[in-house]
Every structure is written in structure tokens, then in C-alpha cells.
Amino acid sequence: MQSDPPICGRAPYGDNAVMATRPDGELVGPILDWYADAARDLPWRRPEASAWSVMVSELMLQQTPVSRVLPVHDAWLQRWPSPAALAAEPSGEAVRAWGRLGYPRRALRLHAAARAIVEEHGGEVPSSYDELLALPGVGDYTAAAIAAFAYGRRQVVLDTNVRRVLARAVSGNELPARSVTRAERDVAAGLLPEDEPTAATWSVAVMELGALVCTADRPRCSDCPVVDLCAWHGAGRPAYDGPPRPVQTYAGTDRMVRGKLLAVLRDSHGSVAKGRLDVVWDDHDQRERCLESLLADGLATHDADGRYRLP
């Protein structure tokens, strides 16, 4: 295990860190201690990691596990070590390099953001939440995460893992609400240490706890540093009793068919005839619908001669 994993090269504890004044503020110290020993060594967390590396990782990690992101992130940074390097290439190259990470519109968003960074910020990923939020394809979570993890800023960072940890430890619920509530954001804000570097590390520490220990299924409560303080565990781990949560499927869905069509375009370094796309899926109507959606999303283009290619 590594010790004292940094945010932007800073130690995880600020010398003048102030713990949250809420009664549940005592969660902060044990979780920071746990993170100092248990944090995974990930390239975008290292002291030498650029803000661009952090930004790329955040876009790639949305709905995608770390194990799948690692090789693609590495290849991406080798090819495009800066926003300017990516912005200089066609958006289709970003889609091609995205490979099989899924949700390929994220590649287009990252490419559009890279161009905006070059045009509006001199090629440097901005450090403020507001400037980050103004970039194409960057929402509240991503802007807060980049500001915190790349620049050590004090931001409320609420991803699925963080929300689950706080729902259990503070509110006594197995799972958070479907969407972020004001009460939930207030709880998270109340727990943020006042010292900026400590607050940034707290944000990633809670996220790591949710990813490794306080998981959605089969949480490892015996390994949790705050099990004795956890409201959900103390209440006997009551089962979630809210509205049914959707179960994602993949086989046979439009998303799968889109992926098959996109794979043909991605693996070709030129245009392809329609016939090569027609053979990937037997259902004509579904296949045509998915092809039209790729065109509408800007993930594919249609030449005048009836051939298809990446943008």
C-alpha cells in the first residue's frame, strides 16, 4: 500500500484542517486515515498527473469501471498529452480511440471540450468550477471533480459512490435517492473540511470507500473504518424501500446494436459501404434506427456516394 496519497502532490492532511462542525463530522478523520493506507495507485492521482489527465479520467470513468479505463487512458495520454493535441485532430479520431469503453458520445464531448479549452483558455484546463462547468459536455459532478482532484479545490463532489456512503453513514438509508437532493448536498457540504487540500482529499477518500468497501452489493462492513459510526449499520442495515430502481440490460438493446455498427466504422480507417453495416444485425428496422441515431448524434457521417465513416 502507498502512504499519504496526494492530490496534486499535496499530502492528504492539511496542517490546519478543520473538521466539519456537524455531529457526523467525526466521520472525516477515520476515512482520511483509511484512504492514506488503502488508496489505489491510479495514474490520474499521482503528483505528476496533469489536469488534462484528471479530466480525461473523469469523462472515461462515467459508468465505466477503472479496470477498463486504465489502458485506454494510458493510450489516450500518450497520443494526446494535452487538450491542444486532441483538438488538432478530427472528432472521429477521438471516437476511434475511445474503443469499447461504451457511451461513445463522451468522446465527442471530450473533443469539444478540448477545442474550447484551446480557444478560450490558452490550452490549459481551467481550475475554477464555473469555467469548467461552461465547457461542452461538462456537468456539475465533472466540474467539481476536476476542480477538486486536479487543483485541490474545496468542492462538493457527489458521484454514485459518495452518495451511497453518505446515505448509509449519515442518513441510515441503504441507497440514495435517484437524483441528488438539496438535503443530500447540504450533508456533503457540511462534512467538507475547511482546509482546501484536505477537503479535496476527503472527496476522493469517500469515493474510494464507496468503490472498494461500501459497495452497492455485498458491502464489506467489517472492513469499513466508520462502521461503528454508520447510521445504516447501527439500524441493522434495513433494506432499501424506495421506488424500484431500473435494471440495466444490454443484450439486444439499441445500445448494443449501435456499438456493433460503430465498431465497423471504428475498425475501418476509411469509409464503408452500407452492406458492411447491414450484416451486423438481422433486425432491419432496429438496425436502421440505430444507424440514424449515430448520424444524429454526430458519431457517424454519410457521404454523398452512400458510404459511412467516422466524423
Side-chain angles (χ1 to χ4, degrees), residues 271-274 301-309:
S271 62
V272 301
K274 180 67 160 49
T301 62
H302 185 202
D303 294 343
D305 60 0
R307 298 175 69 85
Y308 294 79
R309 67 174 70 239

PDB file of all heavy atoms in Angstrom, residues 271-274 301-309:
ATOM      1  N   SER A 271     -14.018   5.023 -45.404  1.00  0.00           N
ATOM      2  CA  SER A 271     -15.462   4.874 -45.442  1.00  0.00           C
ATOM      3  C   SER A 271     -15.830   3.419 -45.708  1.00  0.00           C
ATOM      4  O   SER A 271     -15.018   2.639 -46.225  1.00  0.00           O
ATOM      5  CB  SER A 271     -16.058   5.778 -46.522  1.00  0.00           C
ATOM      6  OG  SER A 271     -15.561   5.412 -47.793  1.00  0.00           O
ATOM      7  N   VAL A 272     -17.039   3.047 -45.331  1.00  0.00           N
ATOM      8  CA  VAL A 272     -17.510   1.680 -45.547  1.00  0.00           C
ATOM      9  C   VAL A 272     -18.840   1.721 -46.288  1.00  0.00           C
ATOM     10  O   VAL A 272     -19.640   2.642 -46.130  1.00  0.00           O
ATOM     11  CB  VAL A 272     -17.668   0.904 -44.222  1.00  0.00           C
ATOM     12  CG1 VAL A 272     -16.357   0.833 -43.480  1.00  0.00           C
ATOM     13  CG2 VAL A 272     -18.740   1.528 -43.344  1.00  0.00           C
ATOM     14  N   ALA A 273     -19.054   0.696 -47.094  1.00  0.00           N
ATOM     15  CA  ALA A 273     -20.304   0.588 -47.819  1.00  0.00           C
ATOM     16  C   ALA A 273     -21.421   0.186 -46.874  1.00  0.00           C
ATOM     17  O   ALA A 273     -21.184  -0.458 -45.839  1.00  0.00           O
ATOM     18  CB  ALA A 273     -20.167  -0.432 -48.952  1.00  0.00           C
ATOM     19  N   LYS A 274     -22.630   0.547 -47.226  1.00  0.00           N
ATOM     20  CA  LYS A 274     -23.778   0.225 -46.385  1.00  0.00           C
ATOM     21  C   LYS A 274     -23.899  -1.264 -46.137  1.00  0.00           C
ATOM     22  O   LYS A 274     -24.299  -1.711 -45.056  1.00  0.00           O
ATOM     23  CB  LYS A 274     -25.053   0.756 -47.065  1.00  0.00           C
ATOM     24  CG  LYS A 274     -26.346   0.497 -46.312  1.00  0.00           C
ATOM     25  CD  LYS A 274     -26.408   1.264 -45.007  1.00  0.00           C
ATOM     26  CE  LYS A 274     -27.836   1.418 -44.499  1.00  0.00           C
ATOM     27  NZ  LYS A 274     -28.625   0.185 -44.473  1.00  0.00           N
ATOM     28  N   THR A 301     -20.935   9.839 -40.108  1.00  0.00           N
ATOM     29  CA  THR A 301     -21.337  10.711 -41.199  1.00  0.00           C
ATOM     30  C   THR A 301     -21.667   9.873 -42.425  1.00  0.00           C
ATOM     31  O   THR A 301     -21.200   8.731 -42.547  1.00  0.00           O
ATOM     32  CB  THR A 301     -20.228  11.724 -41.558  1.00  0.00           C
ATOM     33  OG1 THR A 301     -19.066  11.006 -41.999  1.00  0.00           O
ATOM     34  CG2 THR A 301     -19.873  12.596 -40.376  1.00  0.00           C
ATOM     35  N   HIS A 302     -22.461  10.443 -43.315  1.00  0.00           N
ATOM     36  CA  HIS A 302     -22.955   9.748 -44.503  1.00  0.00           C
ATOM     37  C   HIS A 302     -22.466  10.499 -45.721  1.00  0.00           C
ATOM     38  O   HIS A 302     -22.810  11.673 -45.921  1.00  0.00           O
ATOM     39  CB  HIS A 302     -24.487   9.722 -44.448  1.00  0.00           C
ATOM     40  CG  HIS A 302     -25.111   8.940 -45.550  1.00  0.00           C
ATOM     41  ND1 HIS A 302     -26.421   9.133 -45.951  1.00  0.00           N
ATOM     42  CD2 HIS A 302     -24.613   7.963 -46.352  1.00  0.00           C
ATOM     43  CE1 HIS A 302     -26.700   8.301 -46.937  1.00  0.00           C
ATOM     44  NE2 HIS A 302     -25.625   7.589 -47.208  1.00  0.00           N
ATOM     45  N   ASP A 303     -21.648   9.865 -46.553  1.00  0.00           N
ATOM     46  CA  ASP A 303     -21.145  10.507 -47.755  1.00  0.00           C
ATOM     47  C   ASP A 303     -22.216  10.540 -48.842  1.00  0.00           C
ATOM     48  O   ASP A 303     -23.170   9.754 -48.827  1.00  0.00           O
ATOM     49  CB  ASP A 303     -19.915   9.758 -48.281  1.00  0.00           C
ATOM     50  CG  ASP A 303     -18.734   9.847 -47.327  1.00  0.00           C
ATOM     51  OD1 ASP A 303     -18.761  10.733 -46.459  1.00  0.00           O
ATOM     52  OD2 ASP A 303     -17.805   9.024 -47.471  1.00  0.00           O
ATOM     53  N   ALA A 304     -22.024  11.411 -49.802  1.00  0.00           N
ATOM     54  CA  ALA A 304     -22.975  11.526 -50.900  1.00  0.00           C
ATOM     55  C   ALA A 304     -23.055  10.242 -51.722  1.00  0.00           C
ATOM     56  O   ALA A 304     -24.070   9.965 -52.358  1.00  0.00           O
ATOM     57  CB  ALA A 304     -22.594  12.705 -51.787  1.00  0.00           C
ATOM     58  N   ASP A 305     -21.980   9.473 -51.726  1.00  0.00           N
ATOM     59  CA  ASP A 305     -21.964   8.233 -52.508  1.00  0.00           C
ATOM     60  C   ASP A 305     -22.522   7.040 -51.736  1.00  0.00           C
ATOM     61  O   ASP A 305     -22.381   5.893 -52.165  1.00  0.00           O
ATOM     62  CB  ASP A 305     -20.541   7.919 -52.997  1.00  0.00           C
ATOM     63  CG  ASP A 305     -19.556   7.742 -51.849  1.00  0.00           C
ATOM     64  OD1 ASP A 305     -19.984   7.868 -50.677  1.00  0.00           O
ATOM     65  OD2 ASP A 305     -18.363   7.483 -52.109  1.00  0.00           O
ATOM     66  N   GLY A 306     -23.154   7.306 -50.589  1.00  0.00           N
ATOM     67  CA  GLY A 306     -23.811   6.243 -49.850  1.00  0.00           C
ATOM     68  C   GLY A 306     -22.896   5.453 -48.925  1.00  0.00           C
ATOM     69  O   GLY A 306     -23.269   4.358 -48.472  1.00  0.00           O
ATOM     70  N   ARG A 307     -21.742   5.980 -48.613  1.00  0.00           N
ATOM     71  CA  ARG A 307     -20.799   5.311 -47.733  1.00  0.00           C
ATOM     72  C   ARG A 307     -20.785   6.019 -46.367  1.00  0.00           C
ATOM     73  O   ARG A 307     -21.127   7.203 -46.263  1.00  0.00           O
ATOM     74  CB  ARG A 307     -19.392   5.260 -48.341  1.00  0.00           C
ATOM     75  CG  ARG A 307     -19.363   4.476 -49.647  1.00  0.00           C
ATOM     76  CD  ARG A 307     -17.992   4.550 -50.293  1.00  0.00           C
ATOM     77  NE  ARG A 307     -16.995   3.809 -49.531  1.00  0.00           N
ATOM     78  CZ  ARG A 307     -16.767   2.508 -49.648  1.00  0.00           C
ATOM     79  NH1 ARG A 307     -17.501   1.762 -50.474  1.00  0.00           N
ATOM     80  NH2 ARG A 307     -15.823   1.915 -48.928  1.00  0.00           N
ATOM     81  N   TYR A 308     -20.350   5.289 -45.343  1.00  0.00           N
ATOM     82  CA  TYR A 308     -20.383   5.787 -43.977  1.00  0.00           C
ATOM     83  C   TYR A 308     -18.980   5.807 -43.390  1.00  0.00           C
ATOM     84  O   TYR A 308     -18.128   4.965 -43.721  1.00  0.00           O
ATOM     85  CB  TYR A 308     -21.293   4.917 -43.108  1.00  0.00           C
ATOM     86  CG  TYR A 308     -22.758   4.993 -43.503  1.00  0.00           C
ATOM     87  CD1 TYR A 308     -23.233   4.278 -44.597  1.00  0.00           C
ATOM     88  CD2 TYR A 308     -23.637   5.794 -42.788  1.00  0.00           C
ATOM     89  CE1 TYR A 308     -24.575   4.365 -44.973  1.00  0.00           C
ATOM     90  CE2 TYR A 308     -24.991   5.880 -43.147  1.00  0.00           C
ATOM     91  CZ  TYR A 308     -25.428   5.166 -44.231  1.00  0.00           C
ATOM     92  OH  TYR A 308     -26.745   5.259 -44.606  1.00  0.00           O
ATOM     93  N   ARG A 309     -18.760   6.749 -42.486  1.00  0.00           N
ATOM     94  CA  ARG A 309     -17.445   6.876 -41.843  1.00  0.00           C
ATOM     95  C   ARG A 309     -17.607   7.579 -40.499  1.00  0.00           C
ATOM     96  O   ARG A 309     -18.665   8.139 -40.202  1.00  0.00           O
ATOM     97  CB  ARG A 309     -16.474   7.649 -42.739  1.00  0.00           C
ATOM     98  CG  ARG A 309     -16.860   9.104 -42.925  1.00  0.00           C
ATOM     99  CD  ARG A 309     -15.816   9.893 -43.704  1.00  0.00           C
ATOM    100  NE  ARG A 309     -15.778   9.506 -45.104  1.00  0.00           N
ATOM    101  CZ  ARG A 309     -14.681   9.029 -45.702  1.00  0.00           C
ATOM    102  NH1 ARG A 309     -13.547   8.914 -44.998  1.00  0.00           N
ATOM    103  NH2 ARG A 309     -14.686   8.724 -46.979  1.00  0.00           N
TER     104      ARG A 309
END
